[in-house]
Each structure stands twice: as structure tokens, then as C-alpha cells.
Amino acid sequence: MEYNLRISDADIRMEIDPHRENNSLTAVIGEQEYRVSYEAVSENRIYMVVDDGKEKIGMDAYVAQTADGKVIHINGGVCMVSDNDDSSRQQRKKNGAAGLPDRVTPPMPSLVISVLVKTGDTVEKGQGVVVVSAMKMETTLMAPYAGKVRSVNVAEGDKAAPGDILVDIERAETYKN
Amino acid sequence: MFHKILIANRGEIAMRVIRTCREMGIATVAVYSDADKKAAHRFCADESVHIGSSEPARSYLNIERIIAAAQETGAMAIHPGYGFLSENADFAAACEAAGVIFIGPPSKVIRALGDKTVARRMMVDSGVPVTPGMHRAETDPVRLAEAAEQLGYPVLIKAAGGGGGKGMRIVASSDQLPEACRSAAREAAAAFGNADIYIEKYIARPRHVEIQVLADAHGNVIHLLERECSIQRRHQKIIEESPSTALTPILRDKMGQAAVAAARAAGYVNAGTVEFLLDENGGFYFLEVNTRLQVEHPVTEMITGIDIVRHQIEIAAGRKLNLSQSDIAGRGHAIECRIYAEDPENDFFPSPGKILFLQEPTGPGIRNDGGVYSGATVPLEYDPILSKLIVYAENRELAVKRMRDALSRYVILGIKTPILFLMDVMDSETFKQGDTHTDFIPRHFANWKPTPVNPHGACLAFAVHELTGKKRSEAFSTAKGQFPTPWETLGNWR
């Protein structure tokens, strides 16, 4: 069984050979081979004894499945491990990448407190354009790149959801002469 | 003594108050909003009353509705917790008018101390040192600018109506002042219903040290030593401890006496906290009186052995303090870490969502004041505090180690928390040395990133979970919360 996993920014390829009958598996990650015996303590908890050929280490791991992969708490550290082969996730990432990072949109449902720019304004990258409030905390949404404000789609007091484009900015390159 | 108390709050603090009530044999009434239908505090009370929709103004800040809930259920007194209506003089006055006892100081004391400028004048008159600054709130931008100019930049804008960092801004130069004032006033208006602001001289690299006081209605006032609360983000405390590494016995005594003098000057009754800024030369300046139970009260309870909530209730019932100053002694060392739903990699921005799995650490000297559970959804309408982890040990060095270990066993999956950040703070030399100032996080932990975990171990755990866990599609349907998960959204923040 082959897995192509992603942790933080690293891709890791792992080959496993499960032996379900005795709760164990062998795994190869890079050059390293591991013999693992495990116990699924509960739905979210796994205990593993990992033998890397030199020593045996006990690992207490807590795992929860999210839409983007598994969140794993292991020996005091926490990370997200996602499966690069999971096509539904791939698709969602792609959509996200096309939409979110280069637009002015709140990261969670928010209330618009004030709009700092108007249509036609020239903005610098990182300039504050809209102030929103969520969980009683104010945060300024910044222009993702330099450009000209094409339209302002919200007003003070409006509610905004992730994905809503609050201020549409035309990139500077496109109108440079 | 009261036979029934209503707790006008939610989350961990409501549960904290309920625990003491149970020990005292007092029945409890919880209140909850739409967003909190499944909140933990609702279920540990003897009964609960729905008080409105999710917006705070229509539920936890709705004075009439809360007093009506107390009357309908026959509660004789209301404990306000912290935040929400806890420092709202109108609420205390409304309780007084309705014949329900407000567990806190009299409304006129809250009103006087709640206006930070009035409080400052009161302290000046009673000889308690204060930071240089305006003695009156101001809305005129010209006068605010003049005051700032006179004090010299950097200055600190503060809300006259409240604390907790809401409506507070550090301003480095005059061109930033107008927007900072507008935004501070807006935040203050939203948080406290009062847009008044004033300006103080900004004291560089202070420590934030506060003294807990207890005062009864018979003129007895004592203090319960200090809490060191210098480590803050967004002007909100995140790590507190007692005793403070900065106080000598002489300074502790001086600050304790100043706090008692401040409480007497204000005619204070019930538990309160006198906050001071401590500069590097041992000079201390009155900041404000918090006329409520503080979030960080457990560290005082741990080192003094005193249940502050019990004393609050007894004082509110008119009893005399059964403690005198000579009864109070600190023993050992206590540290509290606040566990919020927030992302330490993104400026501690709130991270609401569903808690997929929760396991709190236990063991000798470990106290959890929690308000959530596995499967709970953290609503976005309220302060995102989940719980407080408090440790006690015989000295500071051991307390730091105990906290480090307890944090490493604290498992919260599904939302972001500062646990890994807090572990790194406990591991840092500066914290171990007690070198804690209010600039601690920006100075030592700016752009903090978590140390990567053992990636191979995580991959193996992934594989084992795949082999033994539920089918993915089923897991998905239970994992999907009401909101997009932080994993989906926060990555693109900024």
C-alpha cells in the first residue's frame, strides 16, 4: 500500500505492508524501515511501538479526521497530515487556491466595521482596505497586491462570509502604461 | 445564605462558580443563548434558562431578561462571572432595584471605578501612585491630540468604560492618532456600550502586577497577595503566576497596602483586583480596579488555599470576613495558562469551530477550569476562551516543569490553540529566569512557528488510523462543523 502524504510543507512517500491479524505493519519511509505494532485504544487514540532497527519507541497518538486530512497529536506535538492522493481534497485545494489568497475576503463570518477605500483608489500591497470584526475582535483586511479599487461590495454594518469578495482590486500590472 | 444563585455567564467561569455553589449546598441556575444550547455550563447547573439569540446584546448582555430569569426561577442572587455584565453598574443597580443580590460591589462603586478617569482621580486623592495622563475622558480629536503631544509619544489610548485590552491602542506618532482613536472608540462602544476614551503615557517594558483584595460590608479589607500577569498578547493576558518574580517582601507589602488603601478609598465591597504597572526600578502605578472575579483568580487560590468565589458569595450574603491579613500566606508557586481557540501562528487570531477530540491533563498539582468537551462547537460570537490550565508546585522551577509536562499531555484536536506556543514559552530561558514583561511575546516570540513534530511518527499514526479507523466518508460527516474549519480558512489569512 502506498501513501503520498503531506505534513507542513513536506511531501512524504510511505510504503506500508499491513498485518492486521496481529495488529502490526512494516513501513518504509525514504531509506528507513519501521516495524510497528499498534493498538487502537479508542476511535481517536492509537498506541504504537515503533522499531526502527536500532530502538523501540512507544508513541501515544491522538488522531481526528477533518475535511483536509488527519490532525495528529503525537508525543506533545501536533500536525496536520493530508493525503495527496485524495482527489476530493485536491479539487477543493485547487478551488481555494484560485479564489481565496488573492482576494479581500474574511477568514470567518464577520461584521464589516468600516471600509477604508473607495472605488478608483490606488492601493499599495498590504494596505488596510476593510476593517471586520469577529468574536468581538477587530482585524484589518489588507490589499493582497498593489492596484486600483474596481469596486467596493460592502458597507459598514454588513455581514460577510468567507469567499465574499469585499473589495475588488485590479492588479497594478494590468493598467500600468 | 442564598438557597439558589443564577450565574449570568457562560463557559468555564460559569462552571467554576457552579462548582463552589454545589459545595456550599446552593442550587444553581445557568442561562444560555441560541449558540449555547449545547454548551457545557448549561448542563452542570441544576436548571437552565434560555435567554435569547446568539448575539451578546440579545442574551448575555440583556439585563431585563437575566433579572427576569432570576425572578422566575427564584434565584436570590446573581453571580456575573467576568466579562459580559460583570462590571456593568446599570446591571448591578437593576439587580438592587429588583431585590436580587448582585454578587459583586455596590453599583455606585462599580460606576465610580468603572470610569477609569474617575478611578484615577480617586487614587490620586488617596495617595496611590498613578501613571501620568488625562484625568477625564475626551471625544474631541483636537484635545486628544493636544494631550498626546503634552505627554509625548508613544502614548496609550484606553477605554474609560472597561478593560481586557478592548479599546486599547499604543500610538507611536501623531499621524496614527486619529484612526487609532476612532477604532478604539468603536471597539470600546461595542464591548462596553461606552465610546469614551482617554490617553495615558505609555510606560515602556513594564510588568503587570495585580493585587487581589477581599472586602466585606463591615469595613474589613484584606489582600491575597499578587499575581504577575505580564505575558500578554493583543493586550490580553495569557500566562499568569503567583508569586511574582519581581517582588521583594518589602515591595509586596507596599503594593498590598496600596491596594487595600485603594479599596478603602473606593468603599469597595466583595472580591476585587487592583492592577498596577511595575517599572524596572520597582516604581508602581495604579492602573485600574477590576470590580469582578478575574480570569486568573485560580493562581491566588492555589497558593493561598482560599476559595475566592466562596468568599464572594459569603460577603454578598452580608457575612463578615472570617480572615484577617495575618491569616494570609502564600505557599509554593502557581502558574496559569489560558487555553483559547486561537492561532498563535496568525497573531493569535480567534479560531472557532468544532472540537473533534479533547483530553485534559490530570495529575498532582494540576487544575483544569474548563468549559468545553469533545464534540463541542466554539461559537464565534463570544470570547474564545476554552479553559484554563493551572499548576501548583512547591517552587517556581518545579511549577514550570509541571506546566510544560501538563501542556504536552493536553490534547485538543479540530481547532487551533496556543498549547504548543505555551510549551515553548515554558521551555524558554527568559521565562525560566522570570524575566517577564508586557513586551515578552513580541520581544522573544515574534513570528513564532511550532517546532515540527516527528514526521515519520505522524505518518505511521496516519497509516494506523487508516487501517483501524472508520471509513473516511463517515468520519467526514461527523467532522464537518457548522463553520468552515480553520484548516480551510485561516491558511489564507493575511
Side-chain angles (χ1 to χ4, degrees):
Chain A
M1 232 184 269
E2 187 189 315
Y3 285 100
N4 288 296
L5 303 177
R6 191 167 185 81
I7 301 184
S8 308
D9 293 326
D11 286 315
I12 295 182
R13 196 179 156 279
M14 174 173 67
E15 190 76 46
I16 70 159
D17 185 8
H19 312 287
R20 288 173 197 263
E21 61 289 351
N22 59 358
N23 279 3
S24 71
L25 58 87
T26 51
V28 178
I29 304 173
E31 303 287 291
Q32 182 64 54
E33 187 176 322
Y34 296 99
R35 287 171 182 282
V36 181
S37 60
Y38 58 81
E39 203 59 62
V41 182
S42 69
E43 194 186 316
N44 296 100
R45 185 173 181 183
I46 288 161
Y47 182 73
M48 309 185 288
V49 177
V50 177
D51 181 352
D52 65 359
K54 284 178 248 134
E55 54 180 346
K56 282 187 179 179
I57 300 170
M59 292 185 188
D60 206 10
Y62 296 85
V63 185
Q65 185 73 50
T66 74
D68 271 2
K70 296 183 195 288
V71 207
I72 299 180
H73 178 115
I74 186 160
N75 292 0
V78 182
C79 62
M80 168 64 93
V81 183
S82 52
D83 188 344
N84 285 335
D85 298 332
D86 180 344
S87 57
S88 65
R89 194 187 58 79
Q90 288 279 316
Q91 194 51 45
R92 204 172 32 252
K93 273 274 155 171
K94 226 179 270 167
N95 293 344
L100 293 176
D102 55 351
R103 298 197 186 176
V104 178
T105 187
M108 65 180 73
S110 306
L111 190 69
V112 176
I113 298 297
S114 69
V115 180
L116 307 174
V117 292
K118 55 184 190 307
T119 305
D121 281 3
T122 307
V123 294
E124 293 299 317
K125 182 179 176 178
Q127 183 181 332
V129 291
V130 180
V131 181
V132 297
S133 154
M135 293 175 109
K136 296 174 91 182
M137 210 185 99
E138 285 192 13
T139 295
T140 305
L141 301 178
M142 322 252 190
Y145 40 75
K148 196 171 182 178
V149 176
R150 193 154 36 198
S151 66
V152 174
N153 306 326
V154 286
E156 269 183 47
D158 285 358
K159 285 190 172 166
D164 294 352
I165 308 305
L166 309 191
V167 174
D168 193 3
I169 301 169
E170 187 180 343
R171 270 186 199 271
E173 291 80 25
T174 61
Y175 65 88
K176 229 171 14 190
N177 48 5
Chain B
M1 185 45 67
F2 314 117
H3 61 78
K4 194 188 270 188
I5 289 177
L6 180 140
I7 296 97
N9 214 299
R10 62 183 301 280
E12 69 86 16
I13 195 61
M15 293 175 66
R16 158 73 190 88
V17 173
I18 290 169
R19 284 187 197 108
T20 289
C21 291
R22 293 170 74 103
E23 289 176 14
M24 296 176 78
I26 298 169
T28 51
V29 182
V31 293
Y32 66 97
S33 67
D34 285 347
D36 277 343
K37 277 188 177 139
K38 292 185 180 176
H41 73 276
R42 189 189 156 189
F43 305 119
C44 66
D46 295 309
E47 58 191 303
S48 62
V49 179
H50 178 252
I51 50 164
S53 60
S54 304
E55 295 150 71
R58 292 169 184 269
S59 48
Y60 298 106
L61 292 174
N62 185 340
I63 293 176
E64 280 174 29
R65 185 70 193 93
I66 287 172
I67 291 178
Q71 289 171 331
E72 285 158 22
T73 54
M76 302 163 74
I78 296 180
H79 195 300
Y82 55 69
F84 292 125
L85 294 170
S86 62
E87 295 186 279
N88 184 316
D90 293 338
F91 178 59
C95 289
E96 287 157 14
V100 178
I101 290 177
F102 174 81
I103 301 175
S107 60
K108 62 179 197 318
V109 174
I110 301 178
R111 203 176 301 282
L113 291 173
D115 186 323
K116 305 304 175 198
T117 55
V118 173
R120 281 164 62 82
R121 282 198 300 273
M122 196 186 280
M123 295 308 141
V124 171
D125 293 344
S126 62
V128 177
V130 303
T131 45
M134 298 168 64
H135 292 300
R136 261 172 240 294
E138 186 56 75
T139 48
D140 178 6
V142 178
R143 289 209 199 126
L144 284 164
E146 281 170 11
E149 216 55 58
Q150 252 174 33
L151 289 166
Y153 287 93
V155 296
L156 191 63
I157 303 174
K158 296 179 79 175
K166 301 259 158 53
M168 198 192 288
R169 297 284 187 281
I170 299 168
V171 184
S173 60
S174 57
D175 58 315
Q176 297 170 2
L177 190 72
E179 177 53 31
C181 285
R182 274 196 294 275
S183 130
R186 247 184 346 245
E187 204 172 285
F192 316 115
N194 174 359
D196 286 353
I197 52 172
Y198 68 101
I199 292 178
E200 274 182 18
K201 176 74 189 153
Y202 177 67
I203 295 179
R205 295 211 81 213
R207 285 176 186 258
H208 181 119
V209 177
E210 59 188 29
I211 307 281
Q212 174 73 52
V213 296
L214 284 180
D216 67 16
H218 308 277
N220 302 303
V221 185
I222 61 169
H223 72 85
L224 303 184
L225 310 169
E226 81 278 12
R227 289 185 289 261
E228 159 81 54
C229 310
S230 299
I231 302 188
Q232 310 188 353
R233 83 277 177 262
R234 307 191 321 236
H235 303 295
Q236 253 188 8
K237 301 159 191 167
I238 182 165
I239 301 172
E240 301 98 344
E241 59 182 310
S242 187
S244 165
T245 55
L247 299 200
T248 59
I250 293 169
L251 185 53
R252 177 171 296 120
D253 210 41
K254 265 170 68 180
M255 291 179 76
Q257 283 173 21
V260 168
R264 284 193 191 283
Y268 202 84
V269 178
N270 214 288
T273 296
V274 186
E275 296 193 332
F276 295 102
L277 284 183
L278 180 64
D279 70 20
E280 291 184 301
N281 308 314
F284 60 91
Y285 307 93
F286 170 81
L287 210 49
E288 60 187 27
V289 179
N290 292 129
T291 58
R292 55 156 197 268
L293 185 65
Q294 295 276 87
V295 177
E296 60 274 19
H297 75 277
V299 294
T300 300
E301 296 188 325
M302 299 299 265
I303 65 150
T304 60
I306 288 169
D307 181 340
I308 295 172
V309 173
R310 175 181 282 265
H311 283 280
Q312 284 194 293
I313 294 170
E314 287 177 348
I315 290 167
R319 293 204 182 156
K320 267 191 182 171
L321 260 181
N322 57 2
L323 297 165
S324 62
Q325 193 63 56
S326 58
D327 295 327
I328 307 306
R331 195 164 158 270
H333 199 95
I335 303 175
E336 171 182 282
C337 285
R338 300 190 189 186
I339 313 296
Y340 280 84
E342 65 183 14
D343 183 2
E345 285 183 78
N346 267 302
D347 213 9
F348 297 92
F349 200 79
S351 154
K354 186 167 181 173
I355 298 173
L356 302 176
F357 182 78
L358 171 75
Q359 183 173 285
E360 294 169 334
T362 56
I366 295 175
R367 166 174 168 179
N368 283 291
D369 279 22
V372 289
Y373 54 89
S374 281
T377 297
V378 182
L380 61 97
E381 285 86 354
Y382 313 118
D383 189 60
I385 193 165
L386 304 174
S387 68
K388 293 157 356 195
L389 176 63
I390 306 105
V391 301
Y392 171 78
E394 61 188 87
N395 60 44
R396 188 173 189 274
E397 189 191 342
L398 297 180
V400 173
K401 288 183 176 161
R402 183 160 282 173
M403 179 57 87
R404 166 68 171 78
D405 185 63
L407 287 166
S408 77
R409 292 186 285 118
Y410 206 139
V411 186
I412 302 181
L413 302 180
I415 54 173
K416 299 207 172 187
T417 71
I419 290 174
L420 295 178
F421 172 83
L422 293 163
M423 281 166 64
D424 282 355
V425 171
M426 294 298 136
D427 280 338
S428 70
E429 278 311 308
T430 32
F431 185 76
K432 285 181 188 161
Q433 284 159 15
D435 187 11
T436 52
H437 296 80
T438 51
D439 65 352
F440 184 88
I441 290 177
R443 180 180 278 241
H444 302 294
F445 285 89
N447 303 316
W448 172 87
K449 294 281 169 211
T451 322
V453 297
N454 168 358
H456 289 191
C459 288
L460 295 172
F462 184 100
V464 172
H465 194 251
E466 285 284 287
L467 290 174
T468 60
K470 284 202 280 184
K471 285 262 178 290
R472 228 166 238 242
S473 53
E474 292 170 37
F476 264 25
S477 58
T478 55
K480 276 267 180 184
Q482 182 182 357
F483 311 110
T485 73
W487 308 110
E488 289 169 317
T489 56
L490 270 182
N492 298 314
W493 186 248
R494 293 212 175 152

